Amino acid sequence: MLEVIDLECVRGDRRLFTGLSFELNPGELLHLHGHNGSGKTTLMRAVCGLIYPTAGKVLWKGEESRRLGDDFNRDLVYVGHKNGIKDDLNGSENLRIASVLDGVPISEQQAWEALAKLGLRGHEDLPTRVLSQGQKRRVSLARLLVHRAPLWILDEPFTALDSAAVELLQSVIREHVERGGMVILTTHQEVSLTRGHERQLRLGWKEDGDV
């Protein structure tokens, strides 16, 4: 279980949120809402440990995530606004390197299979600099197919995807939740995410923190 307790984040001289608390249990998805600048990305990065909150703490399985270090990182997949891929490497190389960093090395065959499932068959060995933005996004999202981390944190994962890829990613997310996985995501697109167990959190409203 993930617990966020009395979290506060400040950017510059602006307090994005304070006293923010929620929990996420296996088999649940938390959909973040809020206008641009309301703190959605900041919250996600704070949960991941990529930035330190001004106050509060994040617990994973009852332990403070910061103290767990790599044990927490192995249970987590974060896909942010940027794809986090190297332009000079092909899709397969990018995915295999990401998998090593995630602590779950995969074979070249596994990488090719994951990329093919996301619609990149025939593009696996091309330098990613020649791919479209949607194809680059698919390379980044392929991590979800090879890393069985229980917690996924996805910041606008549907950006640059065509309708077929959006539908496929929706099914991948639904299957993860149905297997008992946990997801935190934000998206401006109207998508069908789960068949239940979906919760909402709105930032930038008076009821910040109410889930």
Side-chain angles (χ1 to χ4, degrees):
M1 180 174 72
L2 176 75
E3 297 174 86
V4 171
I5 302 173
D6 292 331
L7 212 65
E8 175 179 284
C9 284
V10 175
R11 184 171 61 194
D13 59 356
R14 181 175 172 229
R15 181 179 289 107
L16 296 174
F17 48 79
T18 187
L20 180 63
S21 298
F22 63 86
E23 64 180 42
L24 192 65
N25 296 296
E28 290 184 339
L29 179 147
L30 180 63
H31 189 170
L32 299 181
H33 299 271
H35 56 76
N36 290 340
S38 62
K40 300 186 298 295
T41 293
T42 298
L43 173 57
M44 289 180 156
R45 290 175 63 82
V47 171
C48 290
L50 296 175
I51 61 172
Y52 289 140
T54 309
K57 55 187 176 181
V58 176
L59 302 183
W60 178 244
K61 300 177 181 178
E63 300 288 337
E64 194 163 355
S65 61
R66 190 183 304 177
R67 295 179 181 173
L68 290 171
D70 289 342
D71 288 338
F72 176 58
N73 294 333
R74 279 190 290 269
D75 284 342
L76 164 72
V77 173
Y78 171 66
V79 178
H81 278 296
K82 295 182 179 180
N83 292 318
I85 58 178
K86 302 293 186 181
D87 284 346
D88 290 336
L89 301 180
N90 62 39
S92 175
E93 291 166 338
N94 268 291
L95 183 53
R96 294 187 69 189
I97 288 174
S99 297
V100 169
L101 295 176
D102 288 336
V104 284
I106 61 172
S107 67
E108 185 173 3
Q109 181 63 29
Q110 288 174 301
W112 280 56
E113 289 174 356
L115 293 168
K117 185 172 182 179
L118 280 176
L120 289 170
R121 188 181 301 279
H123 299 81
E124 302 94 337
D125 56 354
L126 293 177
T128 54
R129 67 173 178 272
V130 306
L131 301 181
S132 69
Q133 288 303 312
Q135 289 170 329
K136 291 178 181 179
R137 194 60 169 168
R138 293 181 193 218
V139 171
S140 178
L141 291 167
R143 290 174 61 207
L144 302 178
L145 300 181
V146 299
H147 189 349
R148 294 302 184 185
L151 177 61
W152 293 0
I153 299 183
L154 312 176
D155 194 352
E156 295 292 345
F158 300 97
T159 298
L161 297 182
D162 59 23
S163 58
V166 167
E167 185 175 346
L168 174 60
L169 180 55
Q170 288 178 79
S171 69
V172 170
I173 292 172
R174 282 195 295 267
E175 289 170 6
H176 180 65
V177 173
E178 289 168 3
R179 289 195 304 265
M182 292 165 276
V183 178
I184 300 175
L185 67 72
T186 182
T187 177
H188 288 98
Q189 295 179 237
E190 290 296 326
V191 291
S192 175
L193 296 170
T194 70
R195 298 185 178 91
H197 309 291
E198 180 178 342
R199 306 166 67 192
Q200 311 288 325
L201 174 59
R202 297 184 182 276
L203 298 180
W205 291 40
K206 289 183 180 180
E207 60 267 34
D208 278 359
D210 293 340
V211 180

